């Protein structure tokens, strides 16, 4: 058998595993793996620098299956390369509870899967972050230590989704020439032929965005390899449009959406076996094919060992720093620096917007935590996300640690996920809180993947004023708190901002989101506390342990609560204030702490310039809520808070009236 | 003075009003109106068919300010044309509470504003819906009655946002040649020069998407006019890149982000007045300029009157239908058809997925309600959104009433907003519930604008099974219920699905969203009810008025509640079940109904395969919640519900245990 014939058979192994696993599960997507099997074979036998037994090797190439529904392509390749995790048993447990082969690739479940994909376009958008992390890391540690490619397989859905535009515009601008995207140009989507919904010239589109782009026959392995070689030599990112046939090999369902998203059925599979010349039993891999794949799986051992020698030859500090960064351990002086900074705040008592105190924290953090990579979706001067020491990253200089992401909230967030998953960096990025909606699909993936990223969302309420309801978040705090695993902070003053940043940086297992004010806020935590009180999620910030009224508040409304408390006391009643910077962390406390913090005041009030949803947890269904129930309005802040009834008077009056009526 | 000189002065009037209004408000965005004033003058003095005293004329051209922060451009033009609403007093009340001139244009506040913009990219994306509605309506009523253009001014932000890709790909594919986009190519964004973040060739990009595209000097009114003339003759949509200078006229802040988003200041404004040759007081418009604009404002009166004659000449039925459609009144036979359909369901008691019973409803509705325009973001066979009688809309045939939107959830939703705002149609569109995240910015705008659109979101829980956590909504019901004005329905059976569709079609003042199951559900409403019970938001669906246990549930979990009730009764206790198809409608009921429906059972249980947030309203903070607290998992539905503890046994056991402990 010639090498070419063997490679074809190796591709057919992917096709067979894909159709057999989907058939066994009676669920899944055989069409894409069958169409792209040759491309995958070329990639993994010739290009993707990946030692299957050292899957965490920092300098490995990253492979991202943006068309995540084709998960069986990735599982098949991992299995054939010799993965310890994706065994043939796991292939046979495709899409079953607790298998390593879930319906869509999940990086948190399966070693060898670089990122979670399925929500279309996001794999491609994350790949920009992966490729950027590689360049940034190389700028810091040198090309001897960091020199790898990011390969992506993307489908029609990925390229139709809007986020693809944000991603390719950014990647083209940043000249990420080690990013190579292979587009499965099969001209079929779920509804039918792509000409039902698109007429775009993708190659021209990518070229317009500063990419290298070309067409190739996706079944001609030599042509695919030659295109990849050209891409690797380009000074631009590359897109290779691989013309394929979905469900290739299936006698009646190939080239049809019928092969996209369901099991082919026994007859069709038998026909495909015949057509492909694959007489083997389900899940059986013949020896020659297994041998070819195992050889591919071993081909990078030498390269990895050479790399390890190069790493070992680095000077001690640099080596330690590289290791620290990939171990995701903060610098040794982080805690002390944080403590000193926090102490300074309690002393100086700044009255600044929380976006401003976030900037103050970042000025310090950017000098202490070199893995921090900041950015904003074109709102740097509003989000105040750039630390003084941070220089802009440019296409000509990847040593900058501040990224002008452009007006691309979703693309930014997906890129941050990619940067975080790549390793070596801790990305944060800003936009207005209301535009968390634009970024939401990526925020959800951050949470699902437990990616260590920090969202800096400013202008967090009607307090932003004149820009009006299109820019005023009302439902966003509730909607973000709804996402599992995401830490949503709404700090009340500069100290809570510092504490929130500390938690965000220490939480390697959670993404965090800081909701910050446009308007100035007084420092309430005027006595320094070594303990990070924000870490409790909610805590008594002012007043006695027991009182007639407990007022719960967050962010800019805690200062309103302080005024309300004074009014309640002036009326001869007692009040206590609980600051609630993070609902999620509060729920993680023990029952005794939670009960004590919520307390047993006969009247409970919550103040938040947002909707009530979620607050019954603190105030009960009969509690008083001072906040929003509609969209906001365009007017100065001084007019808006009274108009919507979010005032200390309103809170105090309602509490006092209820106290009286209770009696 | 020559005509050319007058037109230049007319443009300067826009510049002056923009800088003066922003200065008075000490807030706003003068840069864009000052840069695009000449383009706006060309548009409104020569092209935009708009009778300012008949702002609802159905055949008017639609002008969409996608770069909504430049609202003063639109307000200035409306004022200068002679708007009754945007008076000079309102211009002087720019960005003040209850003014007609809010920070960003709000169609629900200001007659003459076609749509709400500000969230970038969405104006452009909605314009595709406007332009499509025009073509669809022309296909139905003829070009004599419907023949107008959609003009858009878009900024760099609009074209960087991902949704712009979805919009232009769709518009190019559909050959919407009466859509003309003028891009404010000023090369400045908030962070600085556009070359900080983008290197795209926009003209090449639009051409790749099937558009006509060219560059023009945005200060050369004749060149702009000639480009628009060419665009109007094209058989493709057109993008005209207008090279401008942001803040044109401002002596030191022009061509800089300093003129983008804040008042210029007295000195700078004085300098601009001198530079522009505009010696007039703030808000003063000299007679020649006022005269020129008023003439522009009157130029379409004749065209409108001629159109009214053509409409009057239509045959009676067609005329009545046209009027009905623009009055947003459902057909006379709608209610009877709905009633008959619902009665049939209670008789036939189908056991089908709610996505399937939605399709059954659509099969009927598509024949009764001709303004319905369906579609899906490439999930037609999964969302089951195509009524039997609906033919696909194609670039060659706009009479189709089913749109293959492509894999573009956000673009679809924005287009639906545009279609709804245009008038004449009632759009609905489908995707998976989890991908409501992708569409969320448009869903929010639907709610803010009170656009009459219907979102059909299927695969509404872990019940979708094997596709896993990337595809399983968990937090989405809570996150969607958080949006003001949006009616979120999760119907329990075919009858509730029918009722939800009825409300959705009748609610001209609310967008609606239907969350529908993938799995089969029994018909629970087996006795026909003339009353639409779903309209109450929550109602007793099974059991006595008073009972030991009340179980609240929605959608697929109501059937689980029925089983739990049986188990509770088997243990000698009583139970009642409240179906809660729509939280928002429940809150609109009177207090007595709400109290009676929630009831006073000592034990309250809620079952929903989603997070608890929002449910305390029904069950109290000490109620039993059977649902999700984490992301889902990839496995067959039969494994997932037990794994996550969402079973009748779990509900019944928890309720019985609590009843016992209470005693």
């Amino acid at each position: 058998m010639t090498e070419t014939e063997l490679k074809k058979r190796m591709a057919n192994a992917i096709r067979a595993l894909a159709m057999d696993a989907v058939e066994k599960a009676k669920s899944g997507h055989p069409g894409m793996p069958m169409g792209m099997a040759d491309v995958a074979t070329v990639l993994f036998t010739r290009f993707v620098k990946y030692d299957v037994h050292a899957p965490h090797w920092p300098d490995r190439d990253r492979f991202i299956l943006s068309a995540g529904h084709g998960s069986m392509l990735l599982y098949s390749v991992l299995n054939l390369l010799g993965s310890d995790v994706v065994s043939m048993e796991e292939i046979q447990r495709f899409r079953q509870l607790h298998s390593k082969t879930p319906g869509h690739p999940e990086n948190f479940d399966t070693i060898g899967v670089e990122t979670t994909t399925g929500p279309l376009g996001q794999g491609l958008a994350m790949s920009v972050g992966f490729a950027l992390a590689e360049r940034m890391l190389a700028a810091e540690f040198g090309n001897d230590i960091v020199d790898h490619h990011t390969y992506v397989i993307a489908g029609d859905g990925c390229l139709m989704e809007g986020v693809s535009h944000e991603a390719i515009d950014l990647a083209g601008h940043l000249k990420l020439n080690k990013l190579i995207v292979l587009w499965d140009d099969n001209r079929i989507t779920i509804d039918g032929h792509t000409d039902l919904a698109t007429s775009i010239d993708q190659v021209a589109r990518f070229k317009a965005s500063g990419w290298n782009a070309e067409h190739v026959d996706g079944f001609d392995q030599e042509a695919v390899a030659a295109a990849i070689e050209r891409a690797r030599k380009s000074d631009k990112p590359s897109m290779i449009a691989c013309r394929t046939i979905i469900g290739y090999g299936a006698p009646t369902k190939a080239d049809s959406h019928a092969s996209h998203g369901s099991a082919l059925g026994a007859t069709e599979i038998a026909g495909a076996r015949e057509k492909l010349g694959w007489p083997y039993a389900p899940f059986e891999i013949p020896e020659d094919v297994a041998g070819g794949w195992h050889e591919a799986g071993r081909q990078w051992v030498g390269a990895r060992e050479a790399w390890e020698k190069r790493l070992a030859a680095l000077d001690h500090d640099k080596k330690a720093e590289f290791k620290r960064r990939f171990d995701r351990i903060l610098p040794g002086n982080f805690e002390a620096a944080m403590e000193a900074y926090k102490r300074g705040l309690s002393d100086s008592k700044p009255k600044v917007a929380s976006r401003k105190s976030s900037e103050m924290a970042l000025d310090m953090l950017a000098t202490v935590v070199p893995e921090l990579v900041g950015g904003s979706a074109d709102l740097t001067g509003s989000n105040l996300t750039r630390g003084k020491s941070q220089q802009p990253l440019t296409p000509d200089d990847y040593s900058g640690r501040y990224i002008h992401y452009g007006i691309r909230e979703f693309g930014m967030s997906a890129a941050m996920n990619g940067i975080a998953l790549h390793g070596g960096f801790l990305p944060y990025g800003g936009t207005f809180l209301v535009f968390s909606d634009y970024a939401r699909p990526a925020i959800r993936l951050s949470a699902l993947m437990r990616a260590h990223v920090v969202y800096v969302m400013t202008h967090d309420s009607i307090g932003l004023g004149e820009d009006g309801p299109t820019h005023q978040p009302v439902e966003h705090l509730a909607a973000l708190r709804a996402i599992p695993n995401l830490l949503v902070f709404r700090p009340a003053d500069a100290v809570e901002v510092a504490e929130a940043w500390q938690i965000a940086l220490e939480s390697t297992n959670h993404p965090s989101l800081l909701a910050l004010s446009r308007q100035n806020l007084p420092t309430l935590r005027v006595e320094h506390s070594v303990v990070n009180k924000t870490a409790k999620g909610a805590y008594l910030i002012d007043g006695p342990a027991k009182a007639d009224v407990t007022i719960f508040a967050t962010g800019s409304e805690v200062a309103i609560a302080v005024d309300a408390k004074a009014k309640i006391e002036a009326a001869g009643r007692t009040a206590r204030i609980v600051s609630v910077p993070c609902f999620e962390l509060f729920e993680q406390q023990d029952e005794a702490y939670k009960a004590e913090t919520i307390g047993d005041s006969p009247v409970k009030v919550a103040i938040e310039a947002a909707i009530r949803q979620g607050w019954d947890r603190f105030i009960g269904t009969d509690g008083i809520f001072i906040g929003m129930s509609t969209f906001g309005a365009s007017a100065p802040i001084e007019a808006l808070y009274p108009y919507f009834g979010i005032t200390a008077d309103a809170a105090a009056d309602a509490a006092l009236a209820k106290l009286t009526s209770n009696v």
Side-chain angles (χ1 to χ4, degrees), chain A:
Chain A
M1 188 167 19
T2 67
E3 181 68 19
T4 307
E5 285 164 347
L6 176 63
K7 287 279 175 61
K8 277 294 193 191
R9 282 168 58 75
M10 287 168 70
N12 283 338
I14 297 173
R15 294 188 173 98
L17 286 177
M19 63 185 184
D20 290 340
V22 171
E23 188 67 17
K24 187 162 197 306
K26 296 284 172 224
S27 169
H29 300 76
M32 191 282 246
M34 294 175 79
M36 287 292 277
D38 284 288
V39 172
T41 302
V42 172
L43 267 178
F44 281 91
T45 59
R46 307 198 201 185
F47 294 104
V48 178
K49 184 173 72 172
Y50 179 72
D51 180 348
V52 72
H53 298 299
H56 302 297
W57 176 22
D59 198 36
R60 71 189 180 279
D61 286 345
R62 303 306 197 271
F63 171 74
I64 293 165
L65 188 73
S66 190
H69 53 274
S71 56
M72 270 310 303
L73 179 141
L74 178 51
Y75 300 148
S76 299
V77 167
L78 287 173
N79 172 269
L80 292 165
L81 288 172
S83 160
D84 305 318
V85 171
V86 186
S87 62
M88 197 56 86
E89 290 68 40
E90 291 295 329
I91 295 277
Q92 295 186 46
R93 294 186 61 236
F94 181 52
R95 295 186 155 229
Q96 304 308 304
L97 197 60
H98 303 313
S99 77
K100 294 296 172 192
T101 50
H104 292 81
E106 298 172 359
N107 63 306
F108 49 92
D109 251 5
T110 312
I111 292 170
V113 172
E114 300 288 357
T115 184
T116 298
T117 51
L120 292 175
Q122 289 200 64
L124 174 59
M126 286 189 276
S127 76
V128 176
F130 276 96
L132 185 54
E134 192 268 350
R135 286 293 79 203
M136 291 194 294
L137 211 57
E140 193 170 346
F141 292 94
N143 288 313
D144 262 14
I145 303 300
V146 183
D147 179 13
H148 55 267
H149 284 78
T150 303
Y151 294 99
V152 180
I153 287 182
D156 287 300
C158 296
L159 299 198
M160 278 200 216
E161 288 287 356
V163 72
S164 67
H165 169 60
E166 302 184 18
I168 72 172
D169 192 359
L170 185 59
H173 173 70
L174 292 175
K175 296 196 165 61
L176 299 175
N177 68 322
K178 292 164 87 173
L179 174 60
I180 298 175
V181 175
L182 298 122
W183 168 39
D184 179 15
D185 180 16
N186 64 27
R187 303 188 195 173
I188 297 291
T189 69
I190 291 174
D191 274 7
H193 198 279
T194 50
D195 67 11
L196 281 175
T198 185
S199 310
I200 199 170
D201 177 341
Q202 292 286 6
V203 163
R205 173 200 177 197
F206 274 78
K207 284 183 175 171
S209 293
W211 286 54
N212 192 36
E214 63 172 297
H215 290 282
V216 72
D217 175 350
F219 298 118
D220 180 341
Q221 293 196 11
E222 292 311 316
V224 172
I228 296 173
E229 288 289 6
R230 283 190 292 276
R232 289 166 56 99
K233 287 181 191 132
S234 171
D235 59 350
K236 303 172 178 175
S238 294
M239 190 279 275
I240 302 168
C242 305
R243 183 71 178 99
T244 66
I245 294 167
I246 191 171
Y248 179 81
T252 73
K253 295 185 176 176
D255 204 22
S256 150
H257 59 111
S259 70
H260 166 77
S262 41
L264 296 177
T267 316
E268 188 77 6
I269 288 179
R273 286 197 136 72
E274 194 164 314
K275 217 168 152 77
L276 296 169
W278 192 263
Y280 314 105
F283 308 109
E284 181 191 338
I285 304 298
E287 211 171 304
D288 61 329
V289 170
W293 275 110
H294 271 116
E295 195 178 310
R298 280 190 304 265
Q299 70 184 306
W300 301 105
V301 173
R304 178 180 54 78
E305 287 170 351
W307 177 87
E308 272 158 11
K309 278 183 197 140
R310 293 198 298 279
L311 183 72
L314 275 188
D315 80 62
H316 177 269
D317 286 358
K318 211 164 181 184
K319 195 162 49 192
E321 175 69 2
F322 189 85
K323 188 168 165 14
R324 182 185 73 74
R325 299 272 284 275
F326 272 86
D327 288 348
R328 302 177 187 273
I329 295 165
L330 287 168
N333 59 337
F334 171 72
E335 252 182 89
M338 206 68 228
E339 152 99 31
Y341 171 71
K342 226 174 83 174
R343 186 182 300 274
L345 292 175
S346 293
D347 288 348
S348 62
K349 303 172 189 54
K351 185 176 177 174
V352 295
S354 48
R355 60 175 174 150
K356 179 67 188 172
S357 54
S358 169
E359 182 185 47
M360 291 156 51
L362 284 170
D363 283 342
M364 180 278 285
L365 290 168
T367 64
V368 174
V369 185
E371 55 266 44
L372 272 183
V373 180
S376 166
D378 196 50
L379 288 169
T380 297
S382 297
N383 301 144
L384 303 179
T385 29
R386 183 171 164 192
K388 273 197 189 81
S389 63
Q390 289 174 327
Q391 296 305 311
L393 179 142
T394 72
D396 305 315
D397 183 2
Y398 297 112
S399 72
R401 289 296 170 264
Y402 191 78
I403 302 173
H404 290 286
Y405 282 107
I407 300 149
R408 308 182 181 107
E409 301 81 10
F410 190 3
M412 170 179 77
S413 306
M416 290 203 293
N417 281 336
I419 293 170
L421 293 175
H422 179 278
F425 295 102
L426 204 172
Y428 69 89
T431 186
F432 289 155
L433 181 60
V434 79
F435 299 136
S436 62
D437 279 352
Y438 277 68
R440 193 169 171 91
I443 298 173
R444 182 177 210 256
L445 265 193
S446 303
L448 177 60
M449 301 189 299
R450 298 180 174 273
H452 195 190
V453 303
V454 185
Y455 294 97
V456 183
M457 302 288 195
T458 70
H459 297 61
D460 70 350
S461 75
I462 55 164
L464 64 87
E466 293 89 341
D467 272 347
T470 55
H471 284 55
Q472 290 163 353
V474 166
E475 73 278 26
H476 297 77
L477 290 168
L480 291 162
R481 288 173 184 146
I483 300 176
N485 296 353
L486 176 68
L487 301 181
V488 178
F489 295 94
R490 190 163 187 253
D493 71 355
V495 177
E496 281 194 8
V497 167
E499 291 180 338
W501 267 111
Q502 179 165 17
I503 300 161
L505 298 196
E506 288 174 345
S507 299
T508 51
N509 208 21
H510 288 282
S512 297
L513 184 146
L514 277 63
L516 303 172
S517 77
R518 178 179 187 235
Q519 69 268 37
N520 287 341
L521 309 178
T523 296
L524 302 170
R525 293 271 300 280
V526 292
E527 304 222 356
H528 177 61
S529 118
V530 176
V531 173
N532 186 322
K533 293 190 177 185
T534 299
K536 293 282 190 187
Y539 65 96
L540 185 69
I541 193 171
D542 190 18
K546 286 188 175 282
D548 297 326
V549 180
T550 295
I551 310 177
F552 301 86
T554 75
S556 46
E557 282 70 75
V558 179
I560 295 176
V562 170
D563 291 345
K565 173 171 174 281
K567 286 172 200 288
I568 291 166
E569 288 168 347
R573 302 292 200 149
T574 56
R576 58 196 282 274
I577 301 175
V578 174
S579 180
V580 191
C582 183
F583 281 36
E584 294 79 2
L585 290 176
F586 180 67
E587 293 301 343
Q588 293 170 20
Q589 307 309 309
D590 62 47
E591 290 306 320
Y593 179 80
K594 286 193 273 192
E596 176 198 323
T597 303
I598 289 179
D600 55 6
S601 297
V603 171
K604 291 184 181 132
V605 182
I607 317 180
E608 183 167 70
I611 62 163
R612 178 171 185 142
Q613 190 175 299
W615 277 104
D616 286 1
R617 169 72 180 92
F618 292 89
I619 59 174
T621 51
D622 61 343
I624 296 166
F625 183 71
I626 304 289
M628 301 290 292
S629 62
T630 64
F631 289 109
S634 171
I637 177 173
E638 297 75 16
L640 286 176
Y641 269 82
Y643 177 68
F644 287 107
I646 306 173
T647 63
D649 282 342
D653 292 351
L656 290 168
K658 190 159 183 196
L659 270 177
T660 309
S661 75
N662 280 359
V663 176

